[in-house]
Amino acid sequence: MSKDSPFPYDPIPTVRGPVAAADLGVTLAHEHLFVLSAEFQSNFPHLWDREAGVREAVRQLDEAYAAGVRTLVDMTVLGQGRDIALINAVAERTPVNIVLATGVYSVDGIPLFARFRGPGAAVEAEDPLIELLLRDVTRGIADSGVRAGLVKFACERTPPDAAAHRMAACVAEVHRRTGVPVVVHCDPFEGNGVALVRLLEKEGVPAGSVVVAHAGDSADLDGLRALADTGCVLGYDRYGMTPFAPDEQRNATLAALVRAGHTAQLLVSQDHPVHIDYLTDEQRRGLYPHWSYVHLFERVLPLLLKEPGVDEETVRTLLVDNPRRLLTRVAAPRPSGSHPEVSDAA
Ligand SMILES: [Zn+2]
């Protein structure tokens, strides 16, 4: 921690080394470098050219830097092929600071590695995931010395199932011991966000330290307001994934939340990977033609600034202040609780 910093946790660990909170600048709080099916990649190396992937990542990050981005959070965790050697190869060739996450992409439940041992499992034991995730945050990922700055899990079940309960207890322990914020990939369409926040609160994570990732995919403004009223942070973090929600819809509900006093609880990002092996690059471009690290700057923010109640200061809060508070491990401020005029958004 830096003595002179107004932030309680400063500097922030990034792949290239610690960066002062004051220097994080414009931060994309939920993106990816590479999302890979690790076992397919290692057994079928002809599937993807790693060197070309690194070069393309550097090119895309340079483009983001030119658009003003100074820091990017790579939310790729276990189950999504996080690969520290690949990340390092990119980080040493780009000026953009890269912050890493730990956690488990638990959409299909507890990974087999830990499914049969742990609380409630066949072999009743301490959850082996806790020690691993803590190690990432306190000692660093593998032997890289790069420490993770956030802890994530995923739950698309409504209501959250037993695996989500176990993951919530696991990440809550990591949060209690380190202060890292918790990011939970939710199901925005069924709307399990409030239940996930309550589950984490029960485990001792204050709502202000919880990011409900992908919340902004929802078209249900009442549901989004109920989620914001819990005090959590809402991820408007999939701009450009238009099949889930068009930019205009995301902007309309985001602006309504801004007008209702929730600006400090909102993050904007794109969830964009340079390469994701779930689709060929051509298939992906067909589905998400505008998806990139710079879609926000090229299209979304100019449109957002036309929304009543949104100005340049709002955008600075979304892209600089809110991510910095998150990464310095400060909970979001409680919402004021009043809702003046919010009925005009889609
Ligand atoms: Zn993501």
Side-chain angles (χ1 to χ4, degrees):
M1 325 256 155
S2 161
K3 239 184 14 237
D4 307 321
S5 171
F7 303 101
Y9 187 87
D10 187 5
I12 314 308
T14 79
V15 180
R16 265 199 317 274
V19 171
D23 297 334
L24 290 173
V26 169
T27 300
L28 297 174
H30 189 133
E31 305 290 345
H32 296 272
L33 289 180
F34 309 106
V35 177
L36 302 169
S37 309
E39 209 175 5
F40 283 82
Q41 294 292 336
S42 60
N43 283 281
F44 305 102
H46 71 282
L47 284 175
W48 183 54
D49 182 340
R50 289 169 66 98
E51 278 308 308
V54 168
R55 280 196 300 277
E56 177 60 13
V58 170
R59 189 194 68 75
Q60 292 191 21
L61 286 166
D62 284 350
E63 203 173 69
Y65 189 87
V69 174
R70 294 296 174 265
T71 304
L72 175 143
V73 182
D74 181 353
M75 286 304 309
T76 310
V77 297
L78 299 167
Q80 296 181 297
R82 189 187 65 184
D83 183 331
I84 189 67
L86 264 178
I87 294 165
N88 257 324
V90 174
E92 63 195 22
R93 290 163 57 186
T94 177
V96 176
N97 306 310
I98 300 171
V99 176
L100 300 184
T102 188
V104 177
Y105 190 67
S106 48
V107 277
D108 298 323
I110 303 295
L112 292 170
F113 173 83
R115 188 172 299 176
F116 306 108
R117 46 186 173 143
V123 177
E124 186 68 38
E126 194 195 339
D127 193 330
L129 295 171
I130 293 174
E131 193 262 325
L132 300 181
L133 304 191
L134 268 174
R135 169 183 285 260
D136 274 358
V137 174
T138 59
R139 294 176 54 173
I141 294 165
D143 59 358
S144 68
V146 179
R147 288 175 293 123
L150 316 88
V151 64
K152 160 175 154 178
F153 74 106
C155 170
E156 294 184 345
R157 303 292 164 84
T158 306
D161 59 2
H165 282 252
R166 180 172 157 185
M167 282 310 308
C170 172
V171 301
E173 181 66 13
V174 177
H175 169 81
R176 278 195 299 272
R177 307 233 316 238
T178 65
V180 286
V182 171
V183 178
V184 58
H185 164 124
C186 75
D187 173 2
F189 306 107
E190 287 287 318
N192 64 0
V194 172
L196 289 165
V197 173
R198 297 293 178 225
L199 185 54
L200 285 160
E201 280 183 321
K202 245 195 333 211
E203 296 290 346
V205 187
S209 295
V210 177
V211 180
V212 177
H214 317 325
D217 288 7
S218 171
D220 172 14
L221 181 57
D222 287 339
L224 286 163
R225 285 162 59 186
L227 187 57
D229 284 341
T230 68
C232 76
V233 178
L234 285 76
Y236 274 75
D237 46 19
R238 280 176 159 175
Y239 275 101
M241 297 184 80
T242 42
F244 291 147
D247 298 335
E248 289 78 1
Q249 176 194 303
R250 295 177 198 273
N251 277 351
T253 62
L254 182 140
L257 292 176
V258 165
R259 292 192 294 275
H262 293 295
T263 309
Q265 295 168 257
L266 303 169
L267 292 171
V268 291
S269 207
Q270 295 146 136
D271 205 12
H272 168 75
V274 172
H275 180 71
I276 176 167
D277 66 10
Y278 306 173
L279 298 169
T280 67
D281 287 344
E282 194 181 27
Q283 288 162 346
R284 184 178 66 166
R285 274 192 297 273
L287 260 183
Y288 312 115
H290 305 296
W291 209 16
S292 78
Y293 290 147
V294 293
H295 179 59
L296 272 173
F297 306 94
E298 289 180 343
R299 180 164 197 272
V300 174
L301 297 176
L303 286 175
L304 185 62
L305 281 164
K306 292 182 182 158
E307 294 279 347
V310 175
D311 58 18
E312 294 284 354
E313 197 191 320
T314 315
V315 171
R316 198 189 144 74
T317 303
L318 298 175
L319 280 170
V320 178
D321 301 339
N322 293 351
R324 182 168 55 201
R325 197 188 47 237
L326 184 78
L327 295 176
T328 54
R329 307 185 185 181
V330 179
R334 296 290 309 173
S336 50
S338 63
H339 288 114
E341 55 92 29
V342 286
S343 56
D344 54 336

